Each structure stands twice: as C-alpha cells, then as structure tokens.
Amino acid sequence: MKPPERWLAVAGVTVLSAIAVAGLCLAIYAAWLFHDMPDAADLADYRPPTATRAYAWDGTLIGEFSRERRINVPYDAMPPQLVQAFMAAEDRSFFQHGGVDPAGLSRAMIKNVFNLMQGRRLEGGSTITQQVAKNVLLTSDVTLGRKMKEAILAGSLERVLTKEQILELYLNEIWLGYRSYGVGAAAYNYFGKSINDLTLAESAYLAALPKGPQNYHPIRRKQQALERRNWIIREMASLGWVSHEEARKAMAEDLKVQQAPARARYKDADYFVEEVRRRGLATMGDELLEGGYYMRTTLDPRLQTAARVALMKGLEAYDRRHGWRGAKFRVDIAPGWEKAALKIPKPAERAEWRHAVVTDTAGGVKVLTVENVAGELVSEDAAWARAGKGLNIGDLIFVEPGEQGGFRLRQIPAVNGALVAIEPYSGRVLAMVGGYSFSLQNFNRATQAYRQPGSAFKPIVYAAALENGYTPSSVVMDSAISLPGATPGSVWRPENYNRKYYGALTLRRGLELSRNTMTVRLAQGVGMRRVVDLAKRMDVVDNMDPVLSMSLGAGETTPFRLTAAYASFVNGGRKINPHLIELVQNREGEVILKADDRKCPRCDAGFSGDESPRVPPGGEQVLDPVTAFQITSMLEGVVLRGTATSALVLERPVGGKTGTTNEYRSAWFVGFTPQVVAGVFIGFDDNRSLGNGETGTTAAVPIFIDFMSEAAKDWPKTEFKPPKTAKFGMVRGVREAFRPGTEPQARVPVSTGAGGGARAPRGPQPYTKAWPGGRVSGADTAADAVRPPPPPPPKAADDMSGLY
C-alpha cells in the first residue's frame, strides 16, 4: 500500500473509532440518564397528597391537616373559565399538541435571545403536560438531561392519560403560593371562596401565579400582579374564550385578597383542633397529612364558643382580683414607637384589644393607640392600675374601647386553666379549651396538665364506699385523726379547712360539706386498695399508691380524665370512651375509623314492620347503676346545700364537686346536668399558689356557671333519672336512693328527681330541712370545708330518724 493510501486508511480507522467511542459514550450517558426514568403509567392512579379536613358536629369546617395545603378537585367540577385562564397563561394549544409544542418552544427560544441580552430569567417553553411530568415525576433541576426526560415523559403521558386527566393533575398539583397547592386551596386561601364562586378576574389572577407566586404577590407586588392578570384576560379575549366586554369589566376589577391564608373561618377551636391532630397522627400516622380524609369531630361550635368565652372571662376576673402587674415594656414617645408596640404579642382571641402607649398620668391616664386614636382610661381602671404597679409615661399597654367611652385597661393573665365538656352517654367531647390563648401558648392544660384534683376526687372515694356496703345515710365520724406519716416516726394529721369538726355525719352530708377527716376515715374503712382500683377502672389515673392521702386528691390527673370519669355518675355507671374524632372517611367515602364500635345486627335490615333494632349501651359497667345515681344525687346536694350553692342561679338540676389543693395551688369544679359534664381547672403552669381564698368555689364555679348559662339555655330542665332497681326512703328530709335490701322499712313513692321530694326550690333558698340554722354557704380550699352549724347527733350507724 502506498504511503498516501496508508495514511488515508489510518485516518479512516481513527474517525470510525472516534465515532464508535462517541456513540458508546452517548449510549452509556443515555443509559445512565434514563436508567431511573419513571413510568408515566404510574400516573394513571396517582393522587396528589391532599389535606385532611376536619369538621365540627354541625358541618362547620374547623381545621385542615397536611404538609401541602391542597383541596383535590375533579376536572368535571372545575369551572371552564378557570381552566381556560390557565391555558391562556401557560399552554394555549394544549388540546392540539402531543405533549411537546414545537411552535411554543420556538417562540420561547427566540424570546430567550432578548432575555439573555437584558439579563432576564430564561423561559422553558414547557407545555402543561411537560410541567406535570416535571412536577410529579421529576425534579426541578435546570439541566439538559432533565429537559430531555421531561419531553420524553410528556409524550408518554399523552398516550397514557386523557387531556382532561392531565389538566386535573396539573391544576391540583401546581404550587400557587399563599401556602396553596392546587387551585382549590388557592381559591380558598386567596379569596375565601370555592373555585365555583371565583370571578373572571380572580381566575385570571390565580393563572398568573405559576410563573412565580412571589413575583405577583397580591399585596407586596400588586401592580405587577394586576399587569400579569390583565394580560391573561386579554389573551382569553383574543382566543374567543371571553367577550371583549367581559374582559373590560374584569380588568377594571380591583385585586382584593385575604390578608393571610385562613385554615378555617371558625376560630374558637384551636385547642380542640390541635388535640384532634395529635390524636389523628397517633392513630393514622402520616396518612392524616396526605390522605385527603373527611373527618367528622364531636365539636359543638356553640358550646365551644361558650367554653372559650367563659374560661377567658374567668381567668381575667381572677387576674383582676390580684392587681395590675405593671407594663413590661416602655418606649420614648417618638416617631416609630408603634413598631415597638406591635412586637408585643396580643391574644388573637381578643381582637378588640389595641396596642397603646401612656402619654400622660397627671390627673387621668391618657393613652394613644397605634391607630393614632387618643383617649383616657376610665377612672375605675386608672385607680386599679395605681393600686398595683402604677403607670408611667411611655408604658406600652393593651386597651379596649369602653362601652361608655374612654378606654379599659387590659393585661394578659399570668394564670391559666382549662375547660372540657363531654356528653355523658356517648363520650363525645363537645368543647375543649386548653388555656387562655392558643395564639400565645398551645400547651393544652385539658389533656396535658397533670395536677392534683383535691376534693374533686372525693366522689370516687364515696362511690367505692357505696359499692362496698355503705349507703348515703351511713354515718362516719368527722373528728380529728392522727395517722402514721410517710417517714418513720412522723405523724399525719389531716384537717378540715375551718379546723372544726361536726361529729357523726351521713355520707351525703360529708360529701356535700367536703369534710376531710371524715373522707379519710371512710377510705380507711372501705380500704384504699378498693378506692385505687375504682379510680383506675374509671380511668382517673393509670396508677396510684394505696395511701390514705390519696383519698383527699393527692394523686395527679388531667381535667379531661376527671371530667370523663364523672360521666359515669350521670350515665348509670358506665365507663365512656371520651373521644374527639367521631368518623373518618377516605376519598371514596369508605369509613376507615368510627368511634362508635357497638354492634347492631339488624340495623341494615330495612323496615319490615318488626320491632326496631335495639343497640346495646356502650362502655364497661364500672359502677352499679344505683351507686352511680346515689353519687349523682349527693353531688346535686353539693349545689343545693354544700360548697357550690352559687350554681343554683342556673335554676335547673345540676350537680358537681369543687376541689382545691394544698396552698391553693389548683382550683377545680366538675359539674354536670343530665345532658353534659363540664370540668373546670384553674392554676399556674409552674404550680405556684393561686393566693389565699382562691378556691374551687371562688375561681372555678363562676366559670362553670358562665359556660352552662349559655350552653344549657335551650335545653329542657330534665331531672336526673334513677335506675329502675333503686329503692327510696326519706332520711332527714331528703329522699335517698338505696340498693334493694338496704332501703329503710318505710317507703315512699319513687321520684324522678335525684334530690327527692324534699328538693329545695330552685334559686337560692334557705336550707332548713336537714340541719337547723339556715343555708350552708362558704368556700372550699384544700379541705373544701364550710361553716355550718353542728348537726344533731346521729342515733345509729345508719340513722333513720326523720323517716316516714
């Protein structure tokens, strides 16, 4: 071979080898690039993560749980105008191309030449199908490889899914800012509307957002937002999707949005909703945040609002009794002072409060609000402040416009508390407020604060006694007692609050007057192990030492658990399952969780003229029905004649028990009507003293009264219903219930009222039937004692004097 030919052959081999190597490299790159290529067919059954929506008992939306706030909307439910707005903005030829739009890509490339020259962001020319492929199946990396995958997947998507399915995925998946994924959530978060209620202008604005929600923020960049919105409206008109007259009107419309995305319009249930979220996560795991479930809760919005108002009012009343604590912050009154004032957190639940600064203290106290409204504190509040820490010029404070003019001085209570209301037969939690303000602190004292219940625990002791041979007329001594202490050689001497002793008392009277030494003797007689066992069976505690101090409420429980336990007294002795979540359904409407698990074999049989199905009562029977009614009757006596007589203003059958712990650390009242059991707890988070005289009667009962006055205003004044097996006899003017065989010899007709035929008239009336000397009144504390005159001495262990 001649040299030229040899060199030509070598060159040919080299070129062919290079081509082969390049092809091999390209094949290796392609294999690497597409080895993890997702399958477009997977999207046939794809459902984007969707928020679980929680509703109150009456259908009110109270909350959403999700990582991505999304409301899934089927394509058929989307208004055509909204779909067309997105097509005009993103992909006008969507229904004509096969996944990639060459003409649109060419336009984008030409436009990018000018974008590069002006330093602007490049446009990708992606179709809606390509965006679905990127958003659902790929990453957002700006690389040639990702664009190649996107184009290939777009073609595959068009073969697997219909155009309508692709649009449904796109419009439910797209990020639109304002914590919104998809058009359903965006319509609600931006405008507080469903997508079917959006105007043309609002639909066009949402269609502007895929290009960058921050670029078209409705408040911070309103002008750019309006320009982009109006461009989309003009495009819709040029395509013939809206008339030019409709476009003109829409472009003249202002852009008005909510100041911030709202989870739900109902705002009084934050503690309840957070507890639902916690329990939902514990039961359903992460599916709660992704599954798009329908969740019906037990919340009654009317009662929830009443509970929130009552608790806040009660905590503020306590705070007012303990004086003005002084302003925490002070500023120089100069331009810009408002910024410092607005940094002070305000209870979201007190929208009527205003941030203000003290401008003058000579004579009256003059203030100026951040809204530049000048005024003067009402004289009562000025005097209240001076009696406390005082006020100085420059003090930053909260004020509220007074009803008669001027401003009222306000301060956030340092004390806190909880209120929970439960339906006693089903266990539905109708209302729950876990503190003064969820916006300031989301710790839920109803379910998370373990505190000593004090004398509010005593009904458990008395129930254990009634279950073990005692009757309401059994007599126990109320006298001084000394017992071995917790350490060797020490002595424990429990005392009554007033340090007085009334001798032999019936069980009823001992519970009504909340006698400590009598309760200890009763627990000693029945055995603390029986008391502990009952407390555990009623789910008041998980465990408890069987020591006598526990009979006075030295163990710890939560308001939620103690209130649920009291339901057993009202419902005939059955342990309830206190629950907040009634029902959960998936997207297909299938029930995946139901609180009521009772069996009803014939409930689906339809009507045939036969006897209707009988659904058995739920819950374990933890008390004899007669015992439960006896405690109910005795606790009704607490209101009629004992430590909670102020609740007589409710003028309806009501019972309950006050409680105050040592050194006034906590104040309790758990009360009930035949319809609802409500527990109130007041205390500091650090468990310090509430102050002398701050008892269950003083601090907790007024909150219960305020709540029940509103909650029960439309309820019938139903009496507590006794069990059919109860026998009745009069003891000291009060009709008592007895188990068969333990009743007095002389019998009287059965009454439907727990207090019996000798019930005192509704309203505060002198109590003279049982003990001479007038109505018993007074306040409970660690001992929940009152100051009645000494009772007449009993004649026997089961004194039946007064029977007839």
Side-chain angles (χ1 to χ4, degrees):
M1 182 180 292
K2 296 180 179 179
E5 296 176 345
R6 186 182 302 113
W7 285 110
L8 186 60
V10 170
V13 170
T14 301
V15 170
L16 291 174
S17 298
I19 293 173
V21 170
L24 178 62
C25 291
L26 184 61
I28 292 172
Y29 174 72
W32 171 81
L33 182 63
F34 299 113
H35 79 281
D36 60 347
M37 187 84 152
D39 188 350
D42 293 341
L43 285 183
D45 297 319
Y46 174 74
R47 295 290 184 274
T50 308
T52 292
R53 309 190 89 194
Y55 295 85
W57 187 254
D58 66 352
T60 301
L61 177 65
I62 59 174
E64 297 176 11
F65 312 122
S66 64
R67 290 194 181 90
E68 299 177 356
R69 300 187 68 177
R70 179 184 286 107
I71 302 171
N72 196 63
V73 183
Y75 179 80
D76 291 343
M78 294 181 184
Q81 187 173 263
L82 177 64
V83 177
Q84 291 166 348
F86 276 85
M87 290 172 57
E90 297 294 316
D91 190 355
R92 65 173 65 188
S93 59
F94 172 73
F95 280 98
Q96 285 74 50
H97 63 66
V100 177
D101 181 13
L105 187 60
S106 299
R107 285 195 302 270
M109 291 177 65
I110 294 171
K111 196 170 184 179
N112 280 338
V113 173
F114 295 97
N115 288 339
L116 280 171
M117 294 172 61
Q118 297 175 13
R120 294 180 178 177
R121 182 177 179 272
L122 300 182
E123 297 184 14
S126 296
T127 64
I128 284 177
T129 311
Q130 287 175 276
Q131 291 184 55
V132 170
K134 179 190 72 173
N135 293 339
V136 179
L137 298 175
L138 300 173
T139 67
S140 297
D141 297 338
V142 184
T143 63
L144 177 61
R146 198 267 293 164
K147 292 296 292 183
M148 292 172 61
K149 287 184 177 182
E150 181 183 295
I152 294 170
L153 280 173
S156 299
L157 283 175
E158 294 276 350
R159 292 190 294 273
V160 172
L161 304 177
T162 67
K163 288 285 189 178
E164 290 77 10
Q165 288 174 315
I166 293 171
L167 273 173
E168 180 178 315
L169 277 172
Y170 173 74
L171 292 171
N172 281 307
E173 184 70 28
I174 190 73
W175 165 244
L176 297 173
Y178 241 44
R179 304 210 303 263
S180 306
Y181 285 86
V183 292
Y188 185 81
N189 287 340
Y190 280 98
F191 302 111
K193 298 180 178 181
S194 73
I195 57 174
N196 291 308
D197 297 326
L198 293 175
T199 66
L200 171 59
E202 291 167 344
S203 295
Y205 173 69
L206 295 185
L209 296 172
K211 291 300 184 191
Q214 292 305 314
N215 297 334
Y216 306 107
H217 193 279
I219 298 173
R220 293 193 295 270
R221 308 196 70 177
K222 184 174 180 178
Q223 186 57 41
Q224 292 90 329
L226 286 170
E227 290 173 2
R228 176 70 177 174
R229 182 201 70 177
N230 292 346
W231 176 84
I232 292 171
I233 294 171
R234 286 194 295 271
E235 289 291 297
M236 294 177 71
S238 69
L239 292 166
W241 292 341
V242 299
S243 69
H244 288 285
E245 179 61 20
E246 289 174 325
R248 185 188 64 78
K249 290 180 179 179
M251 288 189 290
E253 188 177 310
D254 193 12
L255 177 57
K256 294 181 179 180
V257 299
Q258 299 183 122
Q259 288 297 311
R263 178 170 63 181
R265 293 187 181 279
Y266 181 68
K267 297 298 184 183
D268 285 341
D270 285 337
Y271 282 106
F272 185 98
V273 171
E274 175 60 16
E275 186 67 19
V276 167
R277 187 191 70 84
R278 290 176 61 243
R279 291 173 182 245
L281 284 172
T283 303
M284 302 163 62
D286 288 345
E287 275 297 301
L288 175 75
L289 307 177
E290 301 173 355
Y293 295 108
Y294 162 82
M295 178 182 288
R296 188 176 75 210
T297 71
T298 60
L299 185 83
D300 184 321
R302 187 177 69 84
L303 269 62
Q304 177 67 25
T305 297
R308 196 268 301 169
V309 171
L311 183 65
M312 293 189 78
K313 176 183 175 184
L315 294 174
E316 289 170 356
Y318 167 90
D319 195 61
R320 181 95 178 177
R321 289 195 296 272
H322 290 265
W324 169 248
R325 297 190 304 277
K328 290 186 177 180
F329 303 96
R330 184 177 299 172
V331 295
D332 292 328
I333 305 175
W337 71 267
E338 297 91 345
K339 292 182 179 180
L342 290 172
K343 290 180 180 178
I344 302 173
K346 183 185 77 171
E349 299 83 355
R350 288 290 186 238
E352 64 276 15
W353 288 13
R354 300 288 181 264
H355 292 85
V357 65
V358 177
T359 58
D360 190 6
T361 59
V365 177
K366 295 181 175 58
V367 300
L368 178 67
T369 71
V370 294
E371 295 84 8
N372 201 34
V373 178
E376 188 171 327
L377 293 184
V378 298
S379 58
E380 176 188 353
D381 287 6
W384 176 61
R386 290 191 181 101
K389 297 289 186 178
L391 285 169
N392 299 287
I393 294 174
D395 281 353
L396 295 178
I397 58 175
F398 292 118
V399 297
E400 180 183 351
E403 294 180 0
Q404 306 299 324
F407 285 107
R408 303 302 306 264
L409 178 62
R410 301 300 187 212
Q411 70 178 353
I412 298 171
V415 73
N416 235 301
L419 192 159
V420 58
I422 301 175
E423 201 281 320
Y425 293 91
S426 65
R428 292 192 298 124
V429 179
L430 304 176
M432 175 188 289
V433 187
Y436 177 74
S437 170
F438 186 86
S439 65
L440 298 179
Q441 191 179 46
N442 57 25
F443 178 69
N444 191 336
R445 293 153 192 86
T447 59
Q448 296 174 293
Y450 279 81
R451 294 290 187 271
Q452 294 178 344
S455 293
F457 181 79
K458 286 177 181 176
I460 312 297
V461 178
Y462 282 74
L466 293 171
E467 289 279 278
N468 289 275
Y470 288 80
T471 75
S473 58
S474 296
V475 171
V476 175
M477 288 299 295
D478 175 34
S479 60
I481 185 172
S482 297
L483 298 165
T487 58
S490 64
V491 178
W492 179 50
R493 296 185 178 91
E495 294 181 331
N496 295 324
Y497 169 58
N498 60 0
R499 292 177 173 80
K500 294 182 180 180
Y501 304 96
Y502 301 144
L505 296 178
T506 62
L507 261 61
R508 166 180 288 279
R509 199 62 181 144
L511 186 57
E512 289 177 353
L513 302 182
S514 196
R515 308 304 289 166
N516 278 352
T517 58
M518 179 178 169
T519 302
V520 171
R521 277 196 169 86
L522 183 63
Q524 190 178 39
V526 74
M528 272 304 297
R529 292 197 179 276
R530 289 192 176 100
V531 174
V532 170
D533 180 62
L534 181 58
K536 291 165 67 175
R537 283 191 286 123
M538 296 179 73
D539 202 31
V540 179
V541 294
D542 294 322
N543 205 357
M544 177 185 285
D545 293 331
V547 295
L548 287 172
S549 61
M550 296 297 173
S551 68
L552 301 181
E556 292 185 340
T557 188
T558 66
F560 183 80
R561 296 179 71 169
L562 189 62
T563 304
Y566 270 59
S568 297
F569 302 141
V570 182
N571 68 21
R574 291 186 175 275
K575 176 183 176 181
I576 63 168
N577 169 31
H579 58 279
L580 291 77
I581 302 171
E582 188 73 18
L583 180 77
V584 178
Q585 292 175 304
N586 63 18
R587 302 182 204 206
E588 286 71 41
E590 298 170 335
V591 176
I592 64 169
L593 188 151
K594 190 177 182 182
D596 190 347
D597 57 359
R598 292 176 295 172
K599 306 298 181 185
C600 182
R602 296 175 51 222
C603 281
D604 297 328
F607 180 73
S608 63
D610 296 337
E611 182 182 2
S612 61
R614 296 182 181 274
V615 182
E620 174 192 356
Q621 192 77 41
V622 292
L623 291 172
D624 185 284
V626 176
T627 299
F629 182 75
Q630 288 170 328
I631 293 294
T632 296
S633 175
M634 293 160 71
L635 293 179
E636 194 177 9
V638 172
V639 174
L640 289 168
R641 298 171 286 271
T643 60
T645 54
S646 55
L648 285 169
V649 298
L650 294 171
E651 296 186 343
R652 64 173 53 246
V654 60
K657 185 70 188 77
T658 51
T660 314
T661 58
N662 288 335
E663 300 176 0
Y664 304 95
R665 294 179 185 275
S666 300
W668 296 72
F669 183 70
V670 185
F672 50 81
T673 68
Q675 297 87 359
V676 164
V677 182
V680 178
F681 157 77
I682 305 296
F684 286 100
D685 287 341
D686 60 6
N687 206 28
R688 69 180 185 268
S689 174
L690 290 167
N692 288 339
E694 292 293 350
T695 66
T697 299
T698 303
V701 173
I703 296 173
F704 172 84
I705 293 171
D706 284 345
F707 166 71
M708 199 60 73
S709 296
E710 176 62 26
K713 64 181 181 181
D714 297 325
W715 297 346
K717 296 182 179 181
T718 309
E719 299 284 350
F720 296 101
K721 186 177 179 180
K724 295 179 180 179
T725 56
K727 304 297 181 182
F728 289 84
M730 293 297 293
V731 180
R732 298 184 181 275
V734 177
R735 190 183 303 272
E736 295 287 11
F738 297 88
R739 291 194 195 183
T742 66
E743 71 275 17
Q745 295 300 312
R747 297 185 183 176
V748 292
V750 175
S751 167
T752 58
R759 175 194 299 279
R762 295 297 173 190
Q765 298 290 329
Y767 179 74
T768 58
K769 295 267 185 183
W771 311 117
R775 177 169 61 89
V776 172
S777 63
D780 65 325
T781 62
D784 285 273
V786 294
R787 299 172 176 80
K795 293 183 178 179
D798 258 347
D799 181 20
M800 295 299 165
S801 60
L803 292 175
Y804 62 93

